[in-house]
Amino acid sequence: MTISFAVAQIRPHSTKRQHQTEHEPVRITGRTLVPLDPGRPSLAQLPDDVVLLVLAFVEDSDLLKIASLGSALYEQARHVQNHTVHINLDQRNQAWSRLDVLRSNLLLPTVRVLEVSGSSNIDQERGEEDEILSCLANMLPSMTGLRDLHWHIPTPIRIDWQWRMPAPIPRALLNHVPTQTRLHTSVAAMNEPHERVHAFLGQLVDNHNLFSLSVHIAFLDEDTCRATMSTLKQVLLSCPRLARIPMLYVGPPVCRVHGVVDGPAPGAPYCGLGLSGGERPPALEELGLSYYPWGREPTAALLAISSIYCTGYPEKGNEVQYWVETFDWSRLRRLNCIPSNLALEIAPKLTALKEIILGDLYWDKTELTAFLEQIPTALELLSIPSWSYIGDKHGAISQHGATLRKLAIHSSEPWKADSLMTNTDLVTLCNGLPHLEELTLDIARDKARNAWPYSTLDIIASFRCLRSIQLWFELWFELGTEGPELPTPHLTVSAARQLFAYLRERNKNIRRLELCSGTLKKWTFTRDPSWASQNSIRLLCEVSSRDIDAAYGFVRVTCPDFSTKMNAELGHLSSKETREGRRGVAEDAKRLLLEVALDGPLTYDEWTAWNKLTCERLEARKKVQQPEEPQLLPKSVFKRLVSSVLKCI
């Protein structure tokens, strides 16, 4: 075995790290693989690039076992393990460790996808360079295989009634992005003025890396918005590789403090992109339009009635028609939320469309089927919020049956009676979608028998190519202290195993089942967690090859929202026969979710009692942490003490 020591230069990352001893690991070069039997097919006979391709399809747990088989496979497994690298700026020690491993083991050229996430507290305005990002910027030129850089600093969220904005990419990092790398990022402005967004958009003008850009601009003053949109327009017209705008929101704040969404005042001036004279962005592959201030030609009739978004619009007619006639729609492959009037106009032009994802729709129920029927291509993915938009017009979906691989029909509770698919509708879809591989459905329990909907599950299992299923069961989050009883049976780990086994008995192709109950993002007006958010659960059932899962028929049940440690505890606790007396005693919200996964949701009264108990524990903990104040002597005792001293004198 040839051993070479690759010792990289040790560079201090910060003043705190200068005094820490960094040990560079010894790197062992891989030996050439030799087949045990030259007469039989072997992995050792394949070229290295083919072996790497094979290992890319191996699960992480199995990849660790393969890495321990020999130095050559170890080297190749490490390359595959680092194809996607995630750096969380909130977990600084872990981020430093990951960067050190990449640098010291000469793995930087193996990185294909780099994802940067974390909080939005990177203060670029004060010139404070984040040390991790500075180190990362220096490493970027060495990532010669880097294909995609995702800047996943969070979307706008509200904390204590204040908006927390996504942090833009620091200029130092942006300047070091390799030429061939595709940049995926977003911009957002929720409070005025928009200086930070202006500055970041200015950096993106003429950027040849920008590939995907999401935009969320909320405004109360149209003049401020117009200035921001002018800079955004420069970005759209000057970045030649820009191909995806997953979401474009330009409008009033989504949620006001008083709970009312403010709309534009009568006669509000135009504040959109203002494309005119044939101006258009590059041909897009993805587009999402959640809200946009569509402009109209300022005719005398419209101005007389103080129509909005007319004053200042530079084109003739209306902006929707300008987009329809001017944009190049021939490369659009994925369409997210979009207004119905624009969708119906461009439908015949979507000659490359393959995926449609429509969230909460504000369309007429006839518009969606008309849109699907006008599309000239066969879809591969379709996601809609409710079956009520389809009704008895099954052909709108079945016409895509030759190519449709993924179908999702899901919306948040509460569900209306016509939003759920009937068994008859499901049978019709089963016959019309022979190649469907992934299915997401809202589904109701069998209330007559107080049982799981086995008749519906039988139909779902009859999709012969189905491999992955996601089913949503109602939780009834509109629950009050005197509300209805919780729907039963409850979704628990044991129930998930039972349902997965039931489906697998009828269709062995099914390898994955995700069962969901409730909604994970329901909050109260005070921004406190609601009963629904703390009693909703997601359980994932997968076929497993681990010996530890043999007792359960090689089926693994986990919660995607749990850590690895909590999922291990979930598996251990689910093996116990009884859990009596363990309701509502969790120490925190995460532990409560563990109870929900094992025993089902708490009733509203149980949850209220748990909330009260949690607050009492928190107050008690605060009192213990507070230092005891020194006790002063009572005044009477102090006077007697002074008097005694004076007498002695």
Side-chain angles (χ1 to χ4, degrees):
M1 179 184 298
T2 303
I3 302 178
S4 62
F5 297 90
V7 182
Q9 181 181 0
I10 302 177
R11 292 179 299 176
H13 301 300
S14 67
T15 54
K16 293 183 179 180
R17 291 171 61 87
Q18 285 180 2
H19 304 291
Q20 299 177 1
T21 304
E22 299 184 12
H23 301 281
E24 300 289 352
V26 176
R27 184 171 177 268
I28 302 176
T29 58
R31 295 181 298 175
T32 303
L33 287 173
V34 179
L36 292 177
D37 186 354
R40 299 178 60 187
S42 171
L43 196 66
Q45 298 170 344
L46 298 175
D48 288 345
D49 55 345
V50 177
V51 175
L52 292 174
L53 183 62
V54 172
L55 294 180
F57 290 93
V58 177
E59 293 186 3
D60 291 340
S61 57
D62 295 329
L63 200 60
L64 294 175
K65 297 178 182 178
I66 293 175
S68 64
L69 296 179
S71 58
L73 289 175
Y74 172 83
E75 189 83 6
Q76 291 167 326
R78 289 300 293 261
H79 277 67
V80 173
Q81 285 177 320
N82 291 283
H83 277 180
T84 300
V85 174
H86 179 67
I87 302 297
N88 189 337
L89 300 178
D90 290 335
Q91 300 176 0
R92 300 182 64 85
N93 291 335
Q94 185 178 358
W96 277 123
S97 176
R98 191 67 190 272
L99 293 177
D100 287 341
V101 168
L102 292 173
R103 176 176 52 82
S104 60
N105 289 278
L106 309 182
L107 293 171
L108 292 174
T110 69
V111 180
R112 299 290 180 267
V113 179
L114 177 61
E115 299 176 348
V116 182
S117 66
S119 63
S120 55
N121 59 356
I122 303 172
D123 197 340
Q124 189 182 27
E125 296 177 352
R126 293 184 301 177
E128 298 178 359
E129 293 187 354
D130 187 273
E131 296 168 357
I132 295 178
L133 293 179
S134 177
C135 177
L136 183 60
N138 294 330
M139 290 183 177
L140 281 177
S142 299
M143 296 182 183
T144 53
L146 186 62
R147 184 179 65 248
D148 294 283
L149 169 58
H150 295 266
W151 185 262
H152 284 321
I153 304 304
T155 54
I157 57 175
R158 295 181 69 181
I159 299 178
D160 297 330
W161 303 109
Q162 295 294 323
W163 282 107
R164 192 174 184 181
M165 292 296 98
I169 306 177
R171 182 182 292 274
L173 185 66
L174 191 63
N175 293 340
H176 284 78
V177 178
T179 305
Q180 79 283 358
T181 302
R182 301 185 302 186
L183 174 62
H184 308 256
T185 188
S186 61
V187 295
M190 303 299 294
N191 295 319
E192 296 160 343
H194 296 165
E195 286 95 347
R196 197 173 195 181
V197 171
H198 275 292
F200 181 51
L201 288 174
Q203 295 180 30
L204 293 179
V205 173
D206 292 322
N207 186 286
H208 286 234
N209 296 106
L210 185 63
F211 185 78
S212 175
L213 178 66
S214 292
V215 179
H216 192 124
I217 303 294
F219 66 91
L220 296 177
D221 177 58
E222 286 78 9
D223 293 330
T224 300
C225 181
R226 188 187 301 113
T228 304
M229 297 301 288
S230 175
T231 311
L232 176 61
K233 174 183 174 180
Q234 297 179 42
V235 174
L236 299 185
L237 297 179
S238 65
C239 297
R241 297 180 66 187
L242 180 63
R244 297 178 185 173
I245 304 179
M247 187 53 60
L248 176 62
Y249 179 96
V250 183
V254 176
C255 180
R256 301 289 293 159
V257 173
H258 47 67
V260 179
V261 176
D262 294 327
Y270 173 72
C271 55
L273 289 170
L275 298 171
S276 62
E279 292 176 327
R280 66 180 184 181
L284 298 175
E285 298 176 6
E286 180 180 4
L287 175 64
L289 278 171
S290 177
Y291 195 101
Y292 184 81
W294 297 104
R296 291 181 290 177
E297 181 183 356
T299 62
L302 292 177
L303 294 176
I305 61 174
S306 299
S307 182
I308 62 172
Y309 304 147
C310 291
T311 303
Y313 180 63
E315 266 290 339
K316 301 292 184 181
N318 63 73
E319 192 170 7
V320 171
Q321 201 61 37
Y322 179 88
W323 283 36
V324 171
E325 297 174 355
T326 309
F327 282 29
D328 182 358
W329 303 102
S330 62
R331 292 178 54 189
L332 195 68
R333 292 182 54 85
R334 184 185 180 99
L335 193 60
N336 299 326
C337 296
I338 188 171
S340 59
N341 57 340
L342 177 62
L344 291 170
E345 290 285 344
I346 65 174
K349 301 174 180 287
L350 303 177
T351 55
L353 190 65
K354 295 297 180 183
E355 301 178 357
I356 296 178
I357 300 178
L358 302 176
D360 295 330
L361 289 180
Y362 300 98
W363 295 19
D364 291 337
K365 293 186 177 180
T366 59
E367 291 178 331
L368 179 58
T369 53
F371 173 61
L372 294 176
E373 291 169 352
Q374 293 181 45
I375 296 173
T377 59
L379 297 176
E380 296 175 359
L381 182 153
L382 174 62
S383 176
I384 59 177
S386 171
W387 181 252
S388 61
Y389 290 98
I390 302 297
D392 58 352
K393 296 185 178 181
H394 309 94
I397 295 180
S398 299
Q399 74 180 55
H400 304 281
T403 58
L404 196 64
R405 298 295 186 269
K406 302 178 182 180
L407 174 64
I409 304 175
H410 166 65
S411 63
S412 300
E413 296 182 55
W415 300 330
K416 297 180 180 179
D418 60 349
S419 66
L420 301 182
M421 191 184 304
T422 66
N423 284 352
T424 303
D425 296 326
L426 196 55
V427 170
T428 304
L429 279 188
C430 180
N431 296 330
L433 305 177
H435 306 295
L436 194 68
E437 297 177 359
E438 298 182 20
L439 177 64
T440 298
L441 282 181
D442 294 334
I443 186 172
R445 296 171 175 83
D446 188 342
K447 297 180 181 179
R449 296 181 175 84
N450 196 29
W452 297 112
Y454 291 108
S455 59
T456 305
L457 296 178
D458 289 337
I459 302 172
I460 291 175
S462 64
F463 285 83
R464 60 177 182 267
C465 293
L466 204 58
R467 296 176 58 84
S468 177
I469 306 171
Q470 185 184 59
L471 299 178
W472 287 81
F473 293 96
E474 72 273 25
L475 180 65
W476 291 0
F477 64 73
E478 299 291 344
L479 187 68
T481 54
E482 299 179 1
E485 295 293 330
L486 293 175
T488 54
H490 297 317
L491 179 57
T492 62
V493 172
S494 60
R497 293 188 193 279
Q498 173 197 345
L499 294 176
F500 191 43
Y502 186 88
L503 289 168
R504 289 268 300 165
E505 287 175 1
R506 288 151 180 79
N507 188 342
K508 291 296 183 182
N509 290 328
I510 299 174
R511 309 278 298 177
R512 183 182 185 276
L513 172 65
E514 184 174 353
L515 298 168
C516 313
S517 177
T519 174
L520 303 177
K521 299 181 179 180
K522 188 68 177 178
W523 298 81
T524 62
F525 177 75
T526 59
R527 304 299 296 171
D528 294 324
S530 66
W531 173 88
S533 66
Q534 294 189 326
N535 284 273
S536 299
I537 192 67
R538 291 193 302 156
L539 295 174
L540 178 61
C541 307
E542 296 175 293
V543 175
S544 172
S545 59
R546 303 186 309 172
D547 294 336
I548 193 175
D549 297 318
Y552 300 105
F554 291 100
V555 171
R556 176 175 54 196
V557 179
T558 57
C559 176
D561 303 306
F562 287 176
S563 63
T564 303
K565 183 178 180 181
M566 284 192 67
N567 272 314
E569 185 177 0
L570 179 65
H572 172 70
L573 294 176
S574 64
S575 63
K576 295 185 177 181
E577 296 183 357
T578 179
R579 282 183 43 80
E580 294 182 1
R582 301 298 299 170
R583 300 288 287 166
V585 297
E587 297 178 358
D588 52 39
K590 275 293 183 183
R591 304 295 299 181
L592 179 65
L593 202 57
L594 188 64
E595 286 188 18
V596 173
L598 293 166
D599 307 315
L602 276 65
T603 65
Y604 191 85
D605 291 338
E606 289 174 334
W607 176 74
T608 303
W610 173 82
N611 256 327
K612 182 179 179 181
L613 179 61
T614 303
C615 292
E616 292 175 353
R617 288 172 177 169
L618 182 61
E619 291 298 325
R621 195 176 296 117
K622 288 181 179 179
K623 290 181 180 180
V624 171
Q625 293 175 351
Q626 289 178 353
E628 295 186 2
E629 296 182 0
Q631 296 183 355
L632 300 177
L633 292 174
K635 290 185 177 180
S636 58
V637 176
F638 181 75
K639 288 182 178 180
R640 289 199 300 269
L641 184 60
V642 173
S643 177
S644 300
V645 172
L646 292 176
K647 288 181 180 179
C648 293
I649 295 175

